[in-house]
Amino acid sequence: MQKVTGEIRPSNIPEALARLAANPRVLVRRGGAPRPGGKCVVYWMQRALRAVDNPALDVAIEAGNTLGLPVIIFFGVIPNYPNANLRHYHFLQQGLRDAAEDAAARGLGFVVRCAPDNNLEAFLEEVQAALLVGDENPCREPERWRSVLAKRLKIPYWTVDADVVVPSRVFNRSFVLLHHFRPHLQRELPRFLVAPSKIESLHAFKPRKKPASFDLAQDITAGFTKLDRSVQPVDTFTGGTHAAMARLRSFVRHDLARYDETRNRPETAGTSRLSPYLHFGNIGPLTIALAVEQAKAPSEIKAKFMEQLIGWRELAVLFVRHEPHYDSWECAASWARNSLLEHAGDPRPYRYSFDQLERGETHDELWNAAQRQMVRDGWMHNYLRMYWGKKILEWAPDPATAFDWAVILNDRYELDGRDPNGYAGIAWAIVGKLDRPWFNRPVFGLVRTMTANSFARKFDAAAYIRQHSPAD
Ligand SMILES: Cc1cc2nc3c(=O)[nH]c(=O)nc-3n(C[C@H](O)[C@H](O)[C@H](O)COP(=O)(O)OP(=O)(O)OC[C@H]3O[C@@H](n4cnc5c(N)ncnc54)[C@H](O)[C@@H]3O)c2cc1C
């Protein structure tokens, strides 16, 4: 597991806060007593970008209520967030507007700061924060920021695992296959798959002088000199909690009952398309799971959906938390690595450069259409993502390069890219991670293959290609 430094057991927490710190979602990264005379509790919003249904914000509010203090949400816009481009920042800004509105409705402060005023530590001094509560993110850099911060701060700092149904530390390990994970998950779900209690701040944020906040009518990326603006925003998805909730309602009402049939039909819009909202934390998995649980649909179909939303998604989070090489071929299990190396010299009838792949210029019209869907819409259907990854392994010079190319393309164009699900999905496609050995085949060795013939017979591939045609 990536080491979480500064972890302090709840024992050195003042009595009044001990109950909150004992919540299995909470990690006390820096313990001790809140700042004497502190004026507020700050929630540092980063991964869980929502002001409703947010377990991290709820912990901040409960701490504020216990200490008799208001809560201020702080969002510091980072100009060089790893691999983020204009498309991602645009979606992020849409989400910030909803979060600001929802925070105001709950009597919470909401402050957005852009560089050079985006320093969290300076903000904590400015508002005389008593305690800092944040969210969690298992990816490398965000986890490093949290660890570094914990060492530098002088006030208590807790993080809350808000974007999974079952907090990852409950398992404290990764799993090789979904069916190994399933019984552990099933054991924990009754404890965590429950509606949260409604928590409201008892101390509304009403300062004499409001801390300065960036005007969200303006562009948060103005002045970013190094931002990749070549990847343009898309109109297929509007960021934010309000759009996420509308999409969830529509999915539950119209599509859920047919999910088992339509989820493998990329030419239909049969899946929830909630992944960008989950990635940006505009909606939490618990909110989705509870809505699905309460929906009118056959129980086996609901179970199928939950297996994706909780089973596969949380398996991916555990993979990234516990695998330091989650985004490179180094994460391959030895059976996959050895077998891929044995087949390294196999003839590859088709080879493409990175640029050809990026432009969708291969002999395979279905693959090109999938690539175009990703580039134009900022999202690709799951069924095609599997095929897309497998073909990159077949056409790249070697498996390590295939892995790198898939990560670059996925993180660049998908709105839900730069996410544990993406790294796990690519590791599944290219190095057989979270999968078992299959039959020995050229190029793939024991890693599962997918051929266009068998795959494209299962849905209306021609319709999908038409929907994502070059002329579109
Ligand atoms: C090569 C490859 C790359 C992928 N890249 C990403 C990525 O960058 N970001 C991303 O979120 N997902 C990724 N996935 C997983 C999956 O394809 C998407 O989560 C899914 O297509 C999102 O569409 P949806 O929201 O309509 O899913 P639905 O079918 O409606 O499922 C609901 C939710 O369950 C989760 N889920 C569904 N399928 C999977 C899965 N196979 N693994 C993990 N979680 C799943 C997602 O959070 C999804 O939003 C990738 C898969 C592969 C094979």
Side-chain angles (χ1 to χ4, degrees):
M1 172 168 180
Q2 291 172 43
K3 204 160 176 282
V4 175
T5 47
E7 184 169 351
I8 296 173
R9 292 279 149 229
S11 59
N12 67 351
I13 305 292
E15 192 61 32
L17 293 173
R19 180 187 61 82
L20 294 177
N23 177 338
R25 280 192 199 281
V26 173
L27 173 65
V28 177
R29 291 182 184 250
R30 184 173 180 87
R35 181 200 304 256
K39 302 265 189 304
C40 59
V41 169
V42 168
Y43 167 50
W44 173 31
M45 177 182 274
Q46 199 184 55
R47 165 85 181 82
L49 205 175
R50 60 189 180 278
V52 290
D53 288 347
N54 181 342
L57 180 57
D58 285 351
V59 167
I61 295 173
E62 283 198 88
N65 289 347
T66 307
L67 299 171
L69 296 173
V71 171
I72 308 180
I73 299 169
F74 175 80
F75 193 99
V77 181
I78 303 172
N80 51 351
Y81 198 96
N83 304 318
N85 54 47
L86 184 61
R87 176 174 293 178
H88 302 123
Y89 278 103
H90 183 82
F91 193 91
L92 172 86
Q93 174 150 14
Q94 291 173 327
L96 282 172
R97 292 191 184 119
D98 284 2
E101 199 181 314
D102 294 344
R106 294 182 77 185
L108 308 171
F110 193 86
V111 171
V112 177
R113 293 270 172 96
C114 291
D117 305 316
N118 57 351
N119 185 285
L120 171 62
E121 288 167 81
F123 181 74
L124 296 173
E125 288 309 304
E126 181 187 324
V127 296
Q128 291 290 292
L131 168 82
L132 175 67
V133 177
D135 45 40
E136 291 217 11
N137 185 331
C139 291
R140 193 176 296 116
E141 276 297 287
E143 173 49 39
R144 193 180 62 79
W145 300 333
R146 284 157 177 75
S147 303
V148 168
L149 183 68
K151 286 194 206 132
R152 295 169 55 113
L153 285 180
K154 301 277 183 297
I155 59 170
Y157 171 35
W158 305 356
T159 52
V160 183
D161 207 359
D163 290 281
V164 281
V165 173
V166 181
S168 298
R169 270 179 207 83
V170 166
F171 304 113
N172 220 16
R173 54 169 286 205
S174 57
F175 296 85
V176 175
L177 294 169
L178 180 63
H179 74 259
H180 295 168
F181 178 42
R182 207 178 277 125
H184 295 263
L185 181 62
Q186 291 305 332
R187 237 189 336 269
E188 298 298 341
L189 280 180
R191 188 153 68 112
F192 293 103
L193 187 48
V194 285
S197 8
K198 206 167 160 43
I199 291 158
E200 293 306 339
S201 175
L202 303 175
H203 306 277
F205 175 69
K206 288 184 193 148
R208 248 177 274 139
K209 185 168 175 284
K210 271 192 176 178
S213 184
F214 184 83
D215 175 5
L216 288 170
Q218 310 295 319
D219 175 9
I220 55 169
T221 71
F224 288 11
T225 49
K226 297 201 175 114
L227 181 67
D228 176 1
R229 295 179 187 273
S230 67
V231 186
Q232 287 288 306
V234 288
D235 56 13
T236 38
F237 291 86
T238 302
T241 300
H242 303 172
M245 291 304 292
R247 181 151 286 199
L248 173 61
R249 281 192 294 273
S250 163
F251 172 69
V252 163
R253 197 169 301 154
H254 304 297
D255 304 313
L256 176 64
R258 293 179 305 135
Y259 180 73
D260 62 337
E261 172 201 327
T262 54
R263 61 185 283 272
N264 288 334
R265 305 276 309 271
E267 77 282 17
T268 67
T271 63
S272 72
R273 284 166 293 143
L274 282 166
S275 54
Y277 300 102
L278 280 162
H279 170 73
F280 279 87
N282 295 164
I283 194 167
L286 185 58
T287 306
I288 303 173
L290 291 171
V292 166
E293 229 184 17
Q294 286 153 18
K296 277 200 197 117
S299 55
E300 63 281 7
I301 295 180
K302 293 191 208 180
K304 190 79 222 166
F305 181 81
M306 296 291 208
E307 177 133 304
Q308 311 304 312
L309 176 74
I310 311 178
W312 279 107
R313 185 170 178 276
E314 299 195 8
L315 186 67
V317 169
L318 292 172
F319 161 65
V320 165
R321 249 184 203 283
H322 294 275
E323 171 53 67
H325 303 294
Y326 60 77
D327 52 355
S328 85
W329 110 289
E330 297 286 321
C331 71
S334 51
W335 66 261
R337 171 193 301 267
N338 294 340
S339 146
L340 286 167
L341 288 176
E342 269 166 33
H343 287 271
D346 288 358
R348 287 168 157 75
Y350 298 98
R351 281 182 182 240
Y352 295 106
S353 66
F354 178 84
D355 290 347
Q356 286 171 307
L357 294 177
E358 186 170 32
R359 291 195 298 265
E361 290 174 356
T362 76
H363 68 284
D364 181 338
E365 270 316 309
L366 183 56
W367 193 93
N368 296 344
Q371 174 69 15
R372 281 193 293 269
Q373 182 178 30
M374 177 172 83
V375 170
R376 287 180 195 156
D377 296 358
W379 186 85
M380 191 198 294
H381 191 281
N382 177 56
Y383 210 36
L384 264 314
R385 291 194 205 212
M386 298 193 277
Y387 182 69
W388 175 86
K390 295 284 178 196
K391 291 290 145 185
I392 295 179
L393 172 58
E394 211 173 306
W395 301 333
D398 56 74
T401 307
F403 204 118
D404 292 347
W405 286 0
V407 168
I408 294 171
L409 291 172
N410 198 74
D411 283 359
R412 183 174 293 167
Y413 293 108
E414 301 281 21
L415 278 170
D416 61 25
R418 307 170 301 130
D419 188 276
N421 271 358
Y423 304 122
I426 290 166
W428 173 89
I430 294 179
V431 296
K433 205 77 195 175
L434 311 176
D435 204 357
R436 64 175 173 81
W438 285 71
F439 312 103
N440 212 343
R441 297 259 194 265
V443 180
F444 284 80
L446 296 172
V447 173
R448 182 199 299 247
T449 57
M450 266 172 111
T451 61
N453 279 349
S454 62
F455 172 68
R457 264 203 309 273
K458 295 180 181 151
F459 65 97
D460 190 347
Y464 179 83
I465 293 169
R466 270 197 310 280
Q467 286 161 6
H468 305 286
S469 71
D472 180 16

PDB file of all heavy atoms in Angstrom, residues 13-33:
ATOM      1  N   ILE A  13      -7.077  12.427  20.219  1.00  0.00           N
ATOM      2  CA  ILE A  13      -8.103  13.365  19.778  1.00  0.00           C
ATOM      3  C   ILE A  13      -8.907  13.788  21.006  1.00  0.00           C
ATOM      4  O   ILE A  13      -9.252  12.937  21.831  1.00  0.00           O
ATOM      5  CB  ILE A  13      -9.078  12.652  18.795  1.00  0.00           C
ATOM      6  CG1 ILE A  13      -8.324  12.039  17.634  1.00  0.00           C
ATOM      7  CG2 ILE A  13     -10.176  13.576  18.319  1.00  0.00           C
ATOM      8  CD1 ILE A  13      -7.695  13.012  16.705  1.00  0.00           C
ATOM      9  N   PRO A  14      -9.238  15.072  21.128  1.00  0.00           N
ATOM     10  CA  PRO A  14     -10.056  15.479  22.279  1.00  0.00           C
ATOM     11  C   PRO A  14     -11.361  14.685  22.344  1.00  0.00           C
ATOM     12  O   PRO A  14     -11.943  14.359  21.302  1.00  0.00           O
ATOM     13  CB  PRO A  14     -10.331  16.959  22.004  1.00  0.00           C
ATOM     14  CG  PRO A  14      -9.331  17.378  20.990  1.00  0.00           C
ATOM     15  CD  PRO A  14      -8.903  16.161  20.237  1.00  0.00           C
ATOM     16  N   GLU A  15     -11.779  14.405  23.549  1.00  0.00           N
ATOM     17  CA  GLU A  15     -12.952  13.574  23.816  1.00  0.00           C
ATOM     18  C   GLU A  15     -14.158  13.923  22.921  1.00  0.00           C
ATOM     19  O   GLU A  15     -14.772  13.047  22.303  1.00  0.00           O
ATOM     20  CB  GLU A  15     -13.313  13.778  25.309  1.00  0.00           C
ATOM     21  CG  GLU A  15     -14.321  12.822  25.884  1.00  0.00           C
ATOM     22  CD  GLU A  15     -13.842  11.365  25.827  1.00  0.00           C
ATOM     23  OE1 GLU A  15     -12.613  11.142  25.935  1.00  0.00           O
ATOM     24  OE2 GLU A  15     -14.700  10.484  25.647  1.00  0.00           O
ATOM     25  N   ALA A  16     -14.434  15.252  22.818  1.00  0.00           N
ATOM     26  CA  ALA A  16     -15.640  15.682  22.089  1.00  0.00           C
ATOM     27  C   ALA A  16     -15.607  15.248  20.627  1.00  0.00           C
ATOM     28  O   ALA A  16     -16.654  15.031  20.011  1.00  0.00           O
ATOM     29  CB  ALA A  16     -15.769  17.197  22.183  1.00  0.00           C
ATOM     30  N   LEU A  17     -14.407  15.124  20.045  1.00  0.00           N
ATOM     31  CA  LEU A  17     -14.304  14.794  18.618  1.00  0.00           C
ATOM     32  C   LEU A  17     -14.029  13.315  18.379  1.00  0.00           C
ATOM     33  O   LEU A  17     -14.024  12.853  17.234  1.00  0.00           O
ATOM     34  CB  LEU A  17     -13.185  15.612  17.971  1.00  0.00           C
ATOM     35  CG  LEU A  17     -13.396  17.126  17.885  1.00  0.00           C
ATOM     36  CD1 LEU A  17     -12.130  17.799  17.377  1.00  0.00           C
ATOM     37  CD2 LEU A  17     -14.569  17.459  16.974  1.00  0.00           C
ATOM     38  N   ALA A  18     -13.779  12.579  19.468  1.00  0.00           N
ATOM     39  CA  ALA A  18     -13.314  11.188  19.320  1.00  0.00           C
ATOM     40  C   ALA A  18     -14.307  10.330  18.545  1.00  0.00           C
ATOM     41  O   ALA A  18     -13.924   9.493  17.722  1.00  0.00           O
ATOM     42  CB  ALA A  18     -13.028  10.595  20.690  1.00  0.00           C
ATOM     43  N   ARG A  19     -15.604  10.552  18.775  1.00  0.00           N
ATOM     44  CA  ARG A  19     -16.616   9.736  18.089  1.00  0.00           C
ATOM     45  C   ARG A  19     -16.520   9.927  16.570  1.00  0.00           C
ATOM     46  O   ARG A  19     -16.586   8.981  15.799  1.00  0.00           O
ATOM     47  CB  ARG A  19     -18.018  10.112  18.581  1.00  0.00           C
ATOM     48  CG  ARG A  19     -19.144   9.319  17.933  1.00  0.00           C
ATOM     49  CD  ARG A  19     -20.515   9.857  18.326  1.00  0.00           C
ATOM     50  NE  ARG A  19     -20.749  11.225  17.931  1.00  0.00           N
ATOM     51  CZ  ARG A  19     -21.141  11.615  16.709  1.00  0.00           C
ATOM     52  NH1 ARG A  19     -21.331  10.723  15.771  1.00  0.00           N
ATOM     53  NH2 ARG A  19     -21.328  12.891  16.433  1.00  0.00           N
ATOM     54  N   LEU A  20     -16.321  11.180  16.173  1.00  0.00           N
ATOM     55  CA  LEU A  20     -16.217  11.453  14.735  1.00  0.00           C
ATOM     56  C   LEU A  20     -14.952  10.830  14.150  1.00  0.00           C
ATOM     57  O   LEU A  20     -14.966  10.263  13.059  1.00  0.00           O
ATOM     58  CB  LEU A  20     -16.172  12.966  14.490  1.00  0.00           C
ATOM     59  CG  LEU A  20     -17.422  13.748  14.838  1.00  0.00           C
ATOM     60  CD1 LEU A  20     -17.189  15.231  14.596  1.00  0.00           C
ATOM     61  CD2 LEU A  20     -18.567  13.254  13.968  1.00  0.00           C
ATOM     62  N   ALA A  21     -13.861  10.921  14.900  1.00  0.00           N
ATOM     63  CA  ALA A  21     -12.586  10.406  14.402  1.00  0.00           C
ATOM     64  C   ALA A  21     -12.605   8.879  14.306  1.00  0.00           C
ATOM     65  O   ALA A  21     -11.834   8.282  13.552  1.00  0.00           O
ATOM     66  CB  ALA A  21     -11.444  10.864  15.297  1.00  0.00           C
ATOM     67  N   ALA A  22     -13.502   8.250  15.071  1.00  0.00           N
ATOM     68  CA  ALA A  22     -13.561   6.783  15.060  1.00  0.00           C
ATOM     69  C   ALA A  22     -14.354   6.243  13.862  1.00  0.00           C
ATOM     70  O   ALA A  22     -14.390   5.038  13.623  1.00  0.00           O
ATOM     71  CB  ALA A  22     -14.183   6.290  16.361  1.00  0.00           C
ATOM     72  N   ASN A  23     -14.989   7.131  13.106  1.00  0.00           N
ATOM     73  CA  ASN A  23     -15.720   6.734  11.893  1.00  0.00           C
ATOM     74  C   ASN A  23     -14.731   6.017  10.948  1.00  0.00           C
ATOM     75  O   ASN A  23     -13.657   6.546  10.663  1.00  0.00           O
ATOM     76  CB  ASN A  23     -16.261   8.033  11.258  1.00  0.00           C
ATOM     77  CG  ASN A  23     -16.991   7.811   9.957  1.00  0.00           C
ATOM     78  OD1 ASN A  23     -16.790   6.811   9.279  1.00  0.00           O
ATOM     79  ND2 ASN A  23     -17.820   8.771   9.604  1.00  0.00           N
ATOM     80  N   PRO A  24     -15.073   4.801  10.474  1.00  0.00           N
ATOM     81  CA  PRO A  24     -14.112   4.070   9.641  1.00  0.00           C
ATOM     82  C   PRO A  24     -13.752   4.778   8.334  1.00  0.00           C
ATOM     83  O   PRO A  24     -12.769   4.427   7.686  1.00  0.00           O
ATOM     84  CB  PRO A  24     -14.799   2.734   9.358  1.00  0.00           C
ATOM     85  CG  PRO A  24     -16.197   2.873   9.827  1.00  0.00           C
ATOM     86  CD  PRO A  24     -16.285   4.043  10.746  1.00  0.00           C
ATOM     87  N   ARG A  25     -14.517   5.787   7.950  1.00  0.00           N
ATOM     88  CA  ARG A  25     -14.140   6.556   6.755  1.00  0.00           C
ATOM     89  C   ARG A  25     -13.038   7.568   7.050  1.00  0.00           C
ATOM     90  O   ARG A  25     -12.420   8.107   6.145  1.00  0.00           O
ATOM     91  CB  ARG A  25     -15.340   7.362   6.234  1.00  0.00           C
ATOM     92  CG  ARG A  25     -16.299   6.571   5.437  1.00  0.00           C
ATOM     93  CD  ARG A  25     -17.295   7.443   4.700  1.00  0.00           C
ATOM     94  NE  ARG A  25     -18.423   6.623   4.339  1.00  0.00           N
ATOM     95  CZ  ARG A  25     -18.438   5.791   3.301  1.00  0.00           C
ATOM     96  NH1 ARG A  25     -17.404   5.710   2.499  1.00  0.00           N
ATOM     97  NH2 ARG A  25     -19.489   5.041   3.065  1.00  0.00           N
ATOM     98  N   VAL A  26     -12.836   7.867   8.343  1.00  0.00           N
ATOM     99  CA  VAL A  26     -11.936   8.971   8.693  1.00  0.00           C
ATOM    100  C   VAL A  26     -10.516   8.472   8.907  1.00  0.00           C
ATOM    101  O   VAL A  26     -10.293   7.471   9.590  1.00  0.00           O
ATOM    102  CB  VAL A  26     -12.448   9.671   9.980  1.00  0.00           C
ATOM    103  CG1 VAL A  26     -11.430  10.705  10.473  1.00  0.00           C
ATOM    104  CG2 VAL A  26     -13.791  10.333   9.721  1.00  0.00           C
ATOM    105  N   LEU A  27      -9.563   9.165   8.325  1.00  0.00           N
ATOM    106  CA  LEU A  27      -8.153   8.920   8.613  1.00  0.00           C
ATOM    107  C   LEU A  27      -7.605  10.179   9.271  1.00  0.00           C
ATOM    108  O   LEU A  27      -7.662  11.265   8.688  1.00  0.00           O
ATOM    109  CB  LEU A  27      -7.389   8.644   7.304  1.00  0.00           C
ATOM    110  CG  LEU A  27      -5.873   8.528   7.466  1.00  0.00           C
ATOM    111  CD1 LEU A  27      -5.495   7.322   8.314  1.00  0.00           C
ATOM    112  CD2 LEU A  27      -5.200   8.442   6.106  1.00  0.00           C
ATOM    113  N   VAL A  28      -7.124  10.014  10.502  1.00  0.00           N
ATOM    114  CA  VAL A  28      -6.555  11.170  11.195  1.00  0.00           C
ATOM    115  C   VAL A  28      -5.102  11.287  10.745  1.00  0.00           C
ATOM    116  O   VAL A  28      -4.252  10.512  11.157  1.00  0.00           O
ATOM    117  CB  VAL A  28      -6.660  10.998  12.727  1.00  0.00           C
ATOM    118  CG1 VAL A  28      -5.998  12.168  13.443  1.00  0.00           C
ATOM    119  CG2 VAL A  28      -8.119  10.878  13.136  1.00  0.00           C
ATOM    120  N   ARG A  29      -4.838  12.228   9.871  1.00  0.00           N
ATOM    121  CA  ARG A  29      -3.472  12.376   9.340  1.00  0.00           C
ATOM    122  C   ARG A  29      -2.621  13.223  10.262  1.00  0.00           C
ATOM    123  O   ARG A  29      -1.407  13.096  10.305  1.00  0.00           O
ATOM    124  CB  ARG A  29      -3.509  13.002   7.952  1.00  0.00           C
ATOM    125  CG  ARG A  29      -4.106  12.041   6.928  1.00  0.00           C
ATOM    126  CD  ARG A  29      -4.092  12.645   5.548  1.00  0.00           C
ATOM    127  NE  ARG A  29      -4.750  11.764   4.617  1.00  0.00           N
ATOM    128  CZ  ARG A  29      -4.121  11.073   3.653  1.00  0.00           C
ATOM    129  NH1 ARG A  29      -2.819  11.176   3.495  1.00  0.00           N
ATOM    130  NH2 ARG A  29      -4.797  10.293   2.842  1.00  0.00           N
ATOM    131  N   ARG A  30      -3.281  14.138  10.961  1.00  0.00           N
ATOM    132  CA  ARG A  30      -2.590  14.885  12.003  1.00  0.00           C
ATOM    133  C   ARG A  30      -3.575  15.035  13.152  1.00  0.00           C
ATOM    134  O   ARG A  30      -4.675  15.561  12.972  1.00  0.00           O
ATOM    135  CB  ARG A  30      -2.159  16.255  11.477  1.00  0.00           C
ATOM    136  CG  ARG A  30      -1.368  16.992  12.479  1.00  0.00           C
ATOM    137  CD  ARG A  30      -0.755  18.285  12.042  1.00  0.00           C
ATOM    138  NE  ARG A  30      -0.045  18.802  13.184  1.00  0.00           N
ATOM    139  CZ  ARG A  30       1.210  18.487  13.486  1.00  0.00           C
ATOM    140  NH1 ARG A  30       1.916  17.741  12.670  1.00  0.00           N
ATOM    141  NH2 ARG A  30       1.787  18.935  14.587  1.00  0.00           N
ATOM    142  N   GLY A  31      -3.184  14.519  14.318  1.00  0.00           N
ATOM    143  CA  GLY A  31      -4.113  14.516  15.456  1.00  0.00           C
ATOM    144  C   GLY A  31      -3.974  15.765  16.294  1.00  0.00           C
ATOM    145  O   GLY A  31      -3.527  16.811  15.815  1.00  0.00           O
ATOM    146  N   GLY A  32      -4.347  15.649  17.536  1.00  0.00           N
ATOM    147  CA  GLY A  32      -4.209  16.755  18.483  1.00  0.00           C
ATOM    148  C   GLY A  32      -5.455  17.605  18.571  1.00  0.00           C
ATOM    149  O   GLY A  32      -6.477  17.322  17.942  1.00  0.00           O
ATOM    150  N   ALA A  33      -5.347  18.645  19.392  1.00  0.00           N
ATOM    151  CA  ALA A  33      -6.496  19.501  19.678  1.00  0.00           C
ATOM    152  C   ALA A  33      -6.649  20.571  18.607  1.00  0.00           C
ATOM    153  O   ALA A  33      -5.659  21.038  18.046  1.00  0.00           O
ATOM    154  CB  ALA A  33      -6.296  20.163  21.040  1.00  0.00           C
TER     155      ALA A  33
END
